mmCIF file of all heavy atoms in Angstrom:
data_model
loop_
_atom_site.group_PDB
_atom_site.id
_atom_site.type_symbol
_atom_site.label_atom_id
_atom_site.label_comp_id
_atom_site.label_asym_id
_atom_site.label_seq_id
_atom_site.Cartn_x
_atom_site.Cartn_y
_atom_site.Cartn_z
ATOM 1 N N PHE A 2848 157.303 -51.658 86.619
ATOM 2 C CA PHE A 2848 156.777 -52.867 85.753
ATOM 3 C C PHE A 2848 155.915 -52.260 84.701
ATOM 4 O O PHE A 2848 155.465 -51.083 84.761
ATOM 5 C CB PHE A 2848 156.006 -53.942 86.639
ATOM 6 C CG PHE A 2848 154.803 -53.237 87.308
ATOM 7 C CD1 PHE A 2848 153.592 -53.093 86.790
ATOM 8 C CD2 PHE A 2848 155.018 -52.869 88.687
ATOM 9 C CE1 PHE A 2848 152.506 -52.535 87.444
ATOM 10 C CE2 PHE A 2848 153.950 -52.308 89.381
ATOM 11 C CZ PHE A 2848 152.728 -52.115 88.784
ATOM 12 N N SER A 2849 155.524 -53.089 83.730
ATOM 13 C CA SER A 2849 154.724 -52.760 82.668
ATOM 14 C C SER A 2849 153.588 -53.781 82.527
ATOM 15 O O SER A 2849 153.621 -54.785 83.251
ATOM 16 C CB SER A 2849 155.424 -52.643 81.304
ATOM 17 O OG SER A 2849 155.977 -53.922 80.965
ATOM 18 N N VAL A 2850 152.657 -53.496 81.672
ATOM 19 C CA VAL A 2850 151.560 -54.453 81.395
ATOM 20 C C VAL A 2850 152.083 -55.808 80.927
ATOM 21 O O VAL A 2850 151.627 -56.848 81.330
ATOM 22 C CB VAL A 2850 150.456 -53.926 80.517
ATOM 23 C CG1 VAL A 2850 149.352 -54.875 80.254
ATOM 24 C CG2 VAL A 2850 150.003 -52.565 81.003
ATOM 25 N N ASP A 2851 153.060 -55.749 80.117
ATOM 26 C CA ASP A 2851 153.615 -56.968 79.530
ATOM 27 C C ASP A 2851 154.334 -57.821 80.682
ATOM 28 O O ASP A 2851 154.261 -59.005 80.676
ATOM 29 C CB ASP A 2851 154.685 -56.619 78.463
ATOM 30 C CG ASP A 2851 154.026 -56.090 77.234
ATOM 31 O OD1 ASP A 2851 152.820 -56.348 77.001
ATOM 32 O OD2 ASP A 2851 154.698 -55.396 76.448
ATOM 33 N N ASP A 2852 154.944 -57.087 81.599
ATOM 34 C CA ASP A 2852 155.557 -57.810 82.714
ATOM 35 C C ASP A 2852 154.482 -58.509 83.565
ATOM 36 O O ASP A 2852 154.754 -59.602 83.973
ATOM 37 C CB ASP A 2852 156.304 -56.754 83.657
ATOM 38 C CG ASP A 2852 157.479 -56.217 82.854
ATOM 39 O OD1 ASP A 2852 158.012 -56.810 81.882
ATOM 40 O OD2 ASP A 2852 157.902 -55.074 83.249
ATOM 41 N N ILE A 2853 153.371 -57.864 83.807
ATOM 42 C CA ILE A 2853 152.419 -58.504 84.498
ATOM 43 C C ILE A 2853 151.830 -59.731 83.751
ATOM 44 O O ILE A 2853 151.672 -60.845 84.287
ATOM 45 C CB ILE A 2853 151.190 -57.517 84.830
ATOM 46 C CG1 ILE A 2853 151.665 -56.364 85.717
ATOM 47 C CG2 ILE A 2853 149.966 -58.240 85.502
ATOM 48 C CD1 ILE A 2853 150.645 -55.252 85.886
ATOM 49 N N SER A 2854 151.692 -59.525 82.514
ATOM 50 C CA SER A 2854 151.146 -60.670 81.717
ATOM 51 C C SER A 2854 152.096 -61.855 81.686
ATOM 52 O O SER A 2854 151.640 -63.052 81.673
ATOM 53 C CB SER A 2854 150.913 -60.159 80.261
ATOM 54 O OG SER A 2854 150.423 -61.194 79.409
ATOM 55 N N LYS A 2855 153.374 -61.588 81.613
ATOM 56 C CA LYS A 2855 154.347 -62.677 81.537
ATOM 57 C C LYS A 2855 154.523 -63.357 82.872
ATOM 58 O O LYS A 2855 154.794 -64.561 82.975
ATOM 59 C CB LYS A 2855 155.587 -62.185 80.981
ATOM 60 C CG LYS A 2855 155.676 -61.625 79.600
ATOM 61 C CD LYS A 2855 157.024 -61.096 79.213
ATOM 62 C CE LYS A 2855 157.000 -60.645 77.812
ATOM 63 N NZ LYS A 2855 158.317 -59.993 77.413
ATOM 64 N N SER A 2856 154.376 -62.667 84.033
ATOM 65 C CA SER A 2856 154.779 -63.151 85.296
ATOM 66 C C SER A 2856 153.576 -63.921 85.911
ATOM 67 O O SER A 2856 153.740 -64.776 86.816
ATOM 68 C CB SER A 2856 155.195 -62.007 86.204
ATOM 69 O OG SER A 2856 154.145 -61.087 86.326
ATOM 70 N N MET A 2857 152.303 -63.561 85.577
ATOM 71 C CA MET A 2857 151.127 -64.145 86.234
ATOM 72 C C MET A 2857 150.747 -65.418 85.471
ATOM 73 O O MET A 2857 150.779 -65.438 84.241
ATOM 74 C CB MET A 2857 150.013 -63.099 86.297
ATOM 75 C CG MET A 2857 150.287 -61.900 87.216
ATOM 76 S SD MET A 2857 148.982 -60.701 87.226
ATOM 77 C CE MET A 2857 147.584 -61.582 87.900
ATOM 78 N N ASN A 2858 150.239 -66.386 86.255
ATOM 79 C CA ASN A 2858 149.817 -67.679 85.710
ATOM 80 C C ASN A 2858 148.405 -67.457 85.075
ATOM 81 O O ASN A 2858 147.715 -66.545 85.247
ATOM 82 C CB ASN A 2858 149.721 -68.736 86.778
ATOM 83 C CG ASN A 2858 151.112 -68.983 87.413
ATOM 84 O OD1 ASN A 2858 152.098 -68.918 86.684
ATOM 85 N ND2 ASN A 2858 151.081 -69.248 88.696
#
Side-chain angles (χ1 to χ4, degrees):
F2848 58 84
S2849 63
V2850 180
D2851 292 335
D2852 295 335
I2853 298 177
S2854 178
K2855 293 176 182 178
S2856 62
M2857 293 177 63
N2858 299 324

